[in-house]
Each structure stands twice: as C-alpha cells, then as structure tokens.
Amino acid sequence: MDKRKVITAYRRGFITMQECAQILGIDSPKILGMMNETEAKDKRALKQQPVSG
C-alpha cells in the first residue's frame, strides 16, 4: 500500500496512529516525522503548479 494513502487515512481520522504505524511497519514516533515530511512535499507540489488564466 502507498505510504501517502496510509498517512492520508490517518490524517482524515480513518485509522489510528498505532494502526498507521503497523501498516507502514514502523514505530509510532517515526510517523510524526514522515507526516511532516509528506506535508512539506505536498506544500511544495502546490506551489509548483502553474496558474492558468
């Protein structure tokens, strides 16, 4: 399963942090770092989209 989908499911409240960690196969503290990393990538992707008019 794609890590981004698992993290998105956690952010939306569909799964708990423990379930997220179990699916990803990592311990809970590492999830916080992954979420921050993923959030930063998402923000960069949004900034890079061209504005069409």
Side-chain angles (χ1 to χ4, degrees):
M1 182 173 262
D2 187 14
K3 291 180 183 179
R4 292 173 298 206
K5 289 183 180 183
V6 175
I7 293 170
T8 301
Y10 167 71
R11 285 183 179 160
R12 292 183 179 175
F14 295 124
I15 60 175
T16 65
M17 182 182 289
Q18 289 79 17
E19 290 170 328
C20 184
Q22 186 176 15
I23 292 167
L24 297 175
I26 58 175
D27 49 346
S28 296
K30 287 188 179 181
I31 289 180
L32 298 175
M34 287 183 68
M35 282 192 283
N36 292 336
E37 181 182 304
T38 304
E39 187 174 311
K41 286 181 183 179
D42 291 344
K43 286 180 182 178
R44 281 183 288 202
L46 289 175
K47 288 181 183 178
Q48 292 176 354
Q49 293 179 351
V51 177
S52 59

Coordinates of all heavy atoms in Angstrom, one line a residue:
M1 N 0.8 -1.2 0.0 CA 0.0 0.0 0.0 C 0.9 1.2 0.0 O 1.9 1.3 0.6 CB -0.9 0.0 1.2 CG -1.8 1.2 1.3 SD -3.0 1.0 2.6 CE -4.4 0.4 1.7
D2 N 0.4 2.3 -0.7 CA 1.2 3.5 -0.8 C 1.2 4.2 0.6 O 0.2 4.4 1.2 CB 0.5 4.4 -1.8 CG 1.3 5.6 -2.2 OD1 2.5 5.7 -1.8 OD2 0.7 6.5 -2.8
K3 N 2.4 4.6 1.0 CA 2.6 5.3 2.3 C 1.7 6.6 2.4 O 1.2 6.9 3.4 CB 4.0 5.7 2.5 CG 4.9 4.5 2.7 CD 6.3 4.9 3.0 CE 7.2 3.7 3.1 NZ 8.6 4.1 3.3
R4 N 1.6 7.3 1.3 CA 0.9 8.6 1.3 C -0.6 8.3 1.6 O -1.3 9.1 2.3 CB 1.0 9.3 0.0 CG 2.4 9.8 -0.3 CD 2.6 10.4 -1.6 NE 2.4 9.3 -2.6 CZ 2.9 9.3 -3.8 NH1 3.6 10.2 -4.2 NH2 2.6 8.2 -4.6
K5 N -1.1 7.2 1.0 CA -2.5 6.9 1.3 C -2.8 6.5 2.7 O -3.8 6.9 3.3 CB -3.0 5.7 0.4 CG -3.1 6.1 -1.1 CD -3.6 4.9 -1.9 CE -3.7 5.3 -3.4 NZ -4.2 4.2 -4.2
V6 N -1.8 5.8 3.3 CA -2.0 5.4 4.7 C -1.9 6.7 5.6 O -2.7 6.8 6.5 CB -0.8 4.4 5.1 CG1 -0.9 4.1 6.6 CG2 -0.9 3.1 4.3
I7 N -1.0 7.6 5.3 CA -0.9 8.8 6.1 C -2.1 9.7 5.9 O -2.6 10.3 6.9 CB 0.4 9.6 5.7 CG1 1.6 8.7 6.2 CG2 0.4 11.0 6.3 CD1 3.0 9.2 5.7
T8 N -2.6 9.7 4.7 CA -3.8 10.5 4.4 C -5.0 9.9 5.2 O -5.8 10.6 5.8 CB -4.2 10.5 2.9 OG1 -3.1 11.1 2.2 CG2 -5.4 11.3 2.7
A9 N -5.1 8.6 5.3 CA -6.2 7.9 6.1 C -6.0 8.3 7.5 O -7.1 8.6 8.2 CB -6.1 6.4 5.9
Y10 N -4.8 8.4 8.0 CA -4.6 8.7 9.4 C -5.0 10.2 9.7 O -5.7 10.5 10.6 CB -3.2 8.5 9.8 CG -2.8 9.2 11.2 CD1 -3.3 8.7 12.4 CD2 -2.1 10.4 11.2 CE1 -3.1 9.3 13.6 CE2 -1.8 11.0 12.4 CZ -2.3 10.5 13.6 OH -2.0 11.1 14.7
R11 N -4.6 11.1 8.8 CA -5.0 12.5 8.9 C -6.5 12.7 8.9 O -7.0 13.6 9.5 CB -4.3 13.3 7.8 CG -2.8 13.5 8.0 CD -2.3 14.4 6.9 NE -0.9 14.6 7.1 CZ -0.1 15.0 6.1 NH1 -0.5 15.2 4.9 NH2 1.2 15.2 6.4
R12 N -7.2 11.9 8.1 CA -8.6 12.1 8.0 C -9.4 11.4 9.1 O -10.6 11.5 9.2 CB -9.1 11.6 6.6 CG -8.6 12.4 5.5 CD -9.1 12.0 4.2 NE -8.6 12.8 3.1 CZ -8.9 12.6 1.8 NH1 -9.6 11.6 1.4 NH2 -8.4 13.4 0.9
G13 N -8.6 10.7 9.9 CA -9.3 10.0 11.1 C -9.8 8.6 10.8 O -10.6 8.1 11.6
F14 N -9.5 8.0 9.7 CA -10.0 6.7 9.4 C -9.3 5.6 10.1 O -9.8 4.6 10.4 CB -9.9 6.4 7.9 CG -10.8 7.3 7.0 CD1 -10.2 8.1 6.0 CD2 -12.1 7.4 7.3 CE1 -11.0 8.9 5.2 CE2 -12.9 8.2 6.5 CZ -12.4 9.0 5.5
I15 N -8.0 5.9 10.5 CA -7.2 4.9 11.2 C -6.5 5.6 12.4 O -6.3 6.8 12.3 CB -6.2 4.1 10.4 CG1 -5.2 5.0 9.7 CG2 -6.9 3.2 9.3 CD1 -4.1 4.3 8.9
T16 N -6.1 4.9 13.4 CA -5.3 5.5 14.5 C -3.8 5.5 14.2 O -3.4 4.9 13.2 CB -5.5 4.6 15.8 OG1 -4.9 3.3 15.6 CG2 -7.0 4.5 16.1
M17 N -3.1 6.2 15.0 CA -1.6 6.3 14.8 C -1.0 4.9 14.9 O -0.1 4.6 14.1 CB -1.0 7.3 15.8 CG 0.5 7.4 15.6 SD 1.3 8.5 16.8 CE 0.7 10.1 16.3
Q18 N -1.5 4.1 15.9 CA -0.9 2.8 16.0 C -1.2 1.9 14.8 O -0.3 1.2 14.3 CB -1.5 2.1 17.3 CG -1.0 2.7 18.6 CD -1.7 4.0 18.9 OE1 -2.8 4.4 18.4 NE2 -1.1 4.8 19.8
E19 N -2.4 2.0 14.2 CA -2.7 1.3 13.0 C -1.9 1.7 11.9 O -1.4 0.9 11.1 CB -4.2 1.5 12.7 CG -5.1 0.8 13.7 CD -6.6 1.1 13.5 OE1 -6.9 2.3 13.0 OE2 -7.4 0.3 13.7
C20 N -1.7 3.1 11.8 CA -0.8 3.6 10.7 C 0.6 3.1 10.8 O 1.2 2.6 9.8 CB -0.8 5.1 10.8 SG 0.1 6.0 9.5
A21 N 1.1 3.1 12.0 CA 2.5 2.5 12.3 C 2.6 1.1 11.9 O 3.5 0.6 11.3 CB 2.9 2.8 13.7
Q22 N 1.5 0.3 12.3 CA 1.5 -1.1 12.0 C 1.5 -1.4 10.5 O 2.2 -2.2 10.0 CB 0.3 -1.8 12.7 CG 0.3 -3.3 12.5 CD -0.8 -3.9 13.3 OE1 -1.7 -3.2 13.7 NE2 -0.7 -5.2 13.5
I23 N 0.7 -0.6 9.7 CA 0.6 -0.8 8.3 C 1.9 -0.5 7.6 O 2.3 -1.2 6.7 CB -0.6 0.0 7.7 CG1 -1.9 -0.5 8.2 CG2 -0.5 0.1 6.2 CD1 -3.1 0.5 8.0
L24 N 2.5 0.6 8.1 CA 3.8 1.0 7.5 C 5.0 0.2 8.0 O 6.0 0.3 7.4 CB 4.0 2.5 7.8 CG 3.0 3.5 7.2 CD1 3.3 4.9 7.6 CD2 3.0 3.4 5.6
G25 N 4.8 -0.5 9.1 CA 5.8 -1.3 9.6 C 6.9 -0.6 10.3 O 8.1 -0.9 10.3
I26 N 6.5 0.6 10.9 CA 7.5 1.4 11.7 C 6.9 1.7 13.1 O 5.7 1.4 13.3 CB 7.8 2.7 10.9 CG1 6.5 3.5 10.7 CG2 8.5 2.4 9.6 CD1 6.7 4.9 10.1
D27 N 7.7 2.3 13.9 CA 7.2 2.6 15.2 C 6.6 4.0 15.2 O 6.9 4.8 14.4 CB 8.3 2.5 16.3 CG 9.6 3.3 15.9 OD1 9.8 3.6 14.7 OD2 10.4 3.5 16.8
S28 N 5.7 4.3 16.2 CA 4.9 5.4 16.2 C 5.6 6.8 16.1 O 5.2 7.7 15.4 CB 4.0 5.4 17.4 OG 3.1 4.4 17.4
P29 N 6.8 7.0 16.8 CA 7.4 8.3 16.7 C 7.9 8.6 15.3 O 8.0 9.8 15.0 CB 8.6 8.1 17.7 CG 8.2 7.1 18.7 CD 7.3 6.1 17.9
K30 N 8.3 7.6 14.5 CA 8.7 7.9 13.2 C 7.6 8.4 12.3 O 7.8 9.1 11.3 CB 9.3 6.6 12.6 CG 10.7 6.2 13.1 CD 11.3 5.1 12.3 CE 12.7 4.8 12.9 NZ 13.3 3.7 12.1
I31 N 6.4 8.1 12.6 CA 5.2 8.5 11.9 C 5.1 10.0 11.8 O 4.9 10.6 10.8 CB 3.9 7.9 12.4 CG1 3.9 6.4 12.1 CG2 2.7 8.6 11.8 CD1 2.6 5.8 12.6
L32 N 5.4 10.7 13.0 CA 5.3 12.1 13.1 C 6.3 12.7 12.1 O 6.0 13.7 11.4 CB 5.6 12.6 14.5 CG 4.6 12.1 15.5 CD1 5.0 12.5 16.9 CD2 3.2 12.6 15.2
G33 N 7.5 12.2 12.0 CA 8.5 12.7 11.1 C 8.1 12.5 9.6 O 8.2 13.4 8.8
M34 N 7.5 11.3 9.3 CA 7.0 11.1 8.0 C 5.9 12.0 7.6 O 5.8 12.5 6.5 CB 6.5 9.6 7.9 CG 7.6 8.6 7.9 SD 7.0 6.9 7.6 CE 6.4 7.1 6.0
M35 N 5.0 12.3 8.5 CA 3.9 13.2 8.2 C 4.4 14.6 7.9 O 3.9 15.2 7.0 CB 2.9 13.2 9.4 CG 2.0 12.0 9.4 SD 0.6 12.1 10.5 CE 1.4 11.9 12.0
N36 N 5.3 15.0 8.7 CA 5.9 16.4 8.5 C 6.6 16.4 7.1 O 6.5 17.4 6.4 CB 6.9 16.7 9.6 CG 6.2 17.0 10.9 OD1 5.0 17.3 11.0 ND2 6.9 16.8 12.0
E37 N 7.3 15.3 6.8 CA 8.0 15.3 5.5 C 7.0 15.3 4.4 O 7.1 16.0 3.4 CB 8.8 14.0 5.5 CG 9.6 13.8 4.2 CD 10.4 12.5 4.2 OE1 11.1 12.3 5.2 OE2 10.2 11.7 3.3
T38 N 5.9 14.5 4.5 CA 4.9 14.4 3.5 C 4.2 15.7 3.3 O 3.9 16.1 2.2 CB 3.9 13.3 3.8 OG1 4.6 12.0 4.0 CG2 2.9 13.1 2.7
E39 N 3.9 16.4 4.4 CA 3.2 17.6 4.4 C 4.0 18.7 3.6 O 3.5 19.5 2.8 CB 2.9 18.1 5.8 CG 2.0 19.4 5.8 CD 1.6 19.7 7.3 OE1 1.2 18.8 8.0 OE2 1.8 20.9 7.6
A40 N 5.3 18.7 3.9 CA 6.2 19.6 3.2 C 6.3 19.3 1.7 O 6.3 20.3 0.9 CB 7.6 19.5 3.8
K41 N 6.3 18.1 1.3 CA 6.3 17.7 -0.1 C 5.0 18.2 -0.8 O 5.0 18.7 -1.9 CB 6.5 16.2 -0.3 CG 7.9 15.8 -0.1 CD 8.0 14.3 -0.3 CE 9.4 13.8 0.0 NZ 9.5 12.3 -0.2
D42 N 3.9 18.0 -0.1 CA 2.6 18.4 -0.6 C 2.5 19.9 -0.8 O 2.0 20.4 -1.8 CB 1.4 18.0 0.3 CG 1.2 16.5 0.4 OD1 1.7 15.8 -0.5 OD2 0.5 16.0 1.3
K43 N 3.1 20.7 0.1 CA 3.1 22.1 0.0 C 3.9 22.6 -1.1 O 3.6 23.5 -1.9 CB 3.6 22.8 1.3 CG 2.5 22.7 2.4 CD 3.1 23.4 3.7 CE 2.0 23.2 4.8 NZ 2.5 23.8 6.1
R44 N 5.1 21.9 -1.3 CA 6.0 22.3 -2.5 C 5.3 22.0 -3.8 O 5.4 22.7 -4.7 CB 7.3 21.5 -2.4 CG 8.2 22.1 -1.4 CD 9.5 21.4 -1.4 NE 9.3 20.1 -0.8 CZ 10.2 19.3 -0.2 NH1 11.4 19.6 -0.3 NH2 9.8 18.2 0.3
A45 N 4.5 20.9 -3.8 CA 3.8 20.5 -5.1 C 2.8 21.5 -5.4 O 2.6 21.9 -6.6 CB 3.2 19.1 -4.9
L46 N 2.1 22.0 -4.4 CA 1.1 23.0 -4.6 C 1.7 24.3 -5.2 O 1.1 25.0 -6.0 CB 0.3 23.3 -3.4 CG -0.7 22.2 -2.9 CD1 -1.3 22.5 -1.6 CD2 -1.8 21.9 -3.9
K47 N 2.8 24.7 -4.6 CA 3.5 25.9 -5.1 C 4.0 25.8 -6.5 O 4.1 26.8 -7.2 CB 4.6 26.2 -4.1 CG 4.2 26.7 -2.8 CD 5.4 27.0 -1.9 CE 4.9 27.4 -0.5 NZ 6.1 27.7 0.4
Q48 N 4.3 24.6 -7.0 CA 4.9 24.5 -8.3 C 3.8 24.4 -9.4 O 4.2 24.4 -10.6 CB 5.7 23.2 -8.3 CG 7.0 23.3 -7.4 CD 7.7 22.0 -7.4 OE1 7.3 21.0 -7.9 NE2 8.9 22.0 -6.7
Q49 N 2.6 24.3 -9.1 CA 1.5 24.2 -10.1 C 1.4 25.6 -10.8 O 1.3 26.6 -10.1 CB 0.2 23.8 -9.5 CG 0.2 22.4 -9.0 CD -1.1 22.0 -8.4 OE1 -2.0 22.8 -8.2 NE2 -1.2 20.7 -8.0
P50 N 1.4 25.6 -12.1 CA 1.2 26.8 -12.9 C -0.2 27.4 -12.7 O -1.2 26.6 -12.6 CB 1.5 26.4 -14.3 CG 1.2 25.0 -14.4 CD 1.5 24.4 -13.0
V51 N -0.3 28.7 -12.8 CA -1.6 29.3 -12.8 C -2.1 29.5 -14.2 O -1.4 30.1 -15.0 CB -1.5 30.7 -12.0 CG1 -2.9 31.4 -12.1 CG2 -1.0 30.5 -10.6
S52 N -3.2 29.0 -14.5 CA -3.7 29.2 -15.9 C -4.8 30.2 -15.9 O -5.6 30.3 -14.9 CB -4.2 27.8 -16.5 OG -5.3 27.3 -15.6
G53 N -4.9 31.0 -16.9 CA -5.9 32.0 -16.9 C -6.7 32.2 -18.1 O -7.0 32.0 -19.1

